[in-house]
Amino acid sequence: MLIEIRQLTRDNFHADSLDGFIRHQEVTECWRCIDGKWQLLPIAFTEDWDLPRLRDEAADILRTMDEGNPVIGAYDGAQVVGYAQLGERLGSRGQYIELVGFHVSEPYRKQGIGCRLFSAICESARAAGADKLYISAHSSKESQAAYHALGCVYAEEIDSIRAANEPCDVQMEY
């Protein structure tokens, strides 16, 4: 299977482009910061996006593109199997650009697609003049392992709005 990584545009991405995407994750453990120390806790839930949620995500990606922010996609033929999108500048010196979304469809995980997407979105961030990515990252054991494997670390400067909006997320940077 040849997966192509390319910039998303209105020509290659539409409101129904994520209809076949499988955003499914069985979470059994999550990281939480308790008294200043990170602990892995037994927190179980299933994340499973239905068609309306996928359509909302596609609409958000289209808005992101219309605002001029880069979105990179991974394609298996005409099917989107992964994507990464950048958002606004953050940080006291504007040193960050936010990684707004970063997902790989479940059947395509653990094949290096996420690494390729991450590398491509980092290039887009550099081209936009950012020093670092800011990531409000899912706290599941698996998501955190993936971010750490990519070289992400805890954010030096926490964005209070993102931290308040997603209090269970881990604020990271790359």
Side-chain angles (χ1 to χ4, degrees):
M1 138 182 46
L2 178 64
I3 303 298
E4 184 183 357
I5 305 294
R6 63 180 186 251
Q7 180 108 13
L8 297 184
T9 66
R10 286 263 181 191
D11 292 330
N12 65 16
F13 189 86
H14 312 332
D16 62 353
S17 290
L18 295 180
D19 285 5
F21 198 91
I22 301 172
R23 175 61 180 97
H24 178 263
Q25 185 175 1
E26 295 291 335
V27 176
T28 59
E29 296 175 291
C30 291
W31 289 97
R32 296 290 186 267
C33 189
I34 300 172
D35 297 326
K37 294 184 181 183
W38 286 99
Q39 299 178 34
L40 193 57
L41 302 177
I43 299 171
F45 61 93
T46 300
E47 184 139 358
D48 200 5
W49 292 0
D50 59 9
L51 185 59
R53 175 68 174 90
L54 290 166
R55 293 274 174 100
D56 286 346
E57 187 73 8
D60 183 59
I61 289 169
L62 290 166
R63 272 191 303 280
T64 295
M65 291 188 304
D66 290 344
E67 292 167 358
N69 296 319
V71 184
I72 305 294
Y75 282 86
D76 182 0
Q79 182 182 2
V80 176
V81 299
Y83 61 93
Q85 68 188 97
L86 296 179
E88 65 183 288
R89 293 300 286 260
L90 304 171
S92 58
R93 301 175 316 283
Q95 70 271 30
Y96 294 113
I97 192 164
E98 184 179 17
L99 180 65
V100 179
F102 178 48
H103 300 282
V104 176
S105 188
E106 187 176 41
Y108 291 86
R109 294 180 192 154
K110 299 183 189 291
Q111 299 176 36
I113 296 166
C115 290
R116 293 175 59 205
L117 272 173
F118 194 77
S119 177
I121 206 68
C122 286
E123 283 300 317
S124 293
R126 277 191 280 283
D131 296 329
K132 301 176 180 185
L133 287 181
Y134 187 91
I135 309 154
S136 185
H138 199 289
S139 64
S140 73
K141 178 175 73 174
E142 297 81 6
S143 295
Q144 284 298 299
Y147 280 113
H148 285 285
L150 290 167
C152 300
V153 297
Y154 300 122
E156 289 178 12
E157 187 178 316
I158 304 294
D159 183 90
S160 60
I161 294 171
R162 272 116 191 113
N165 285 345
E166 294 289 348
C168 293
D169 276 8
V170 178
Q171 305 306 303
M172 305 184 84
E173 67 179 51
Y174 176 82

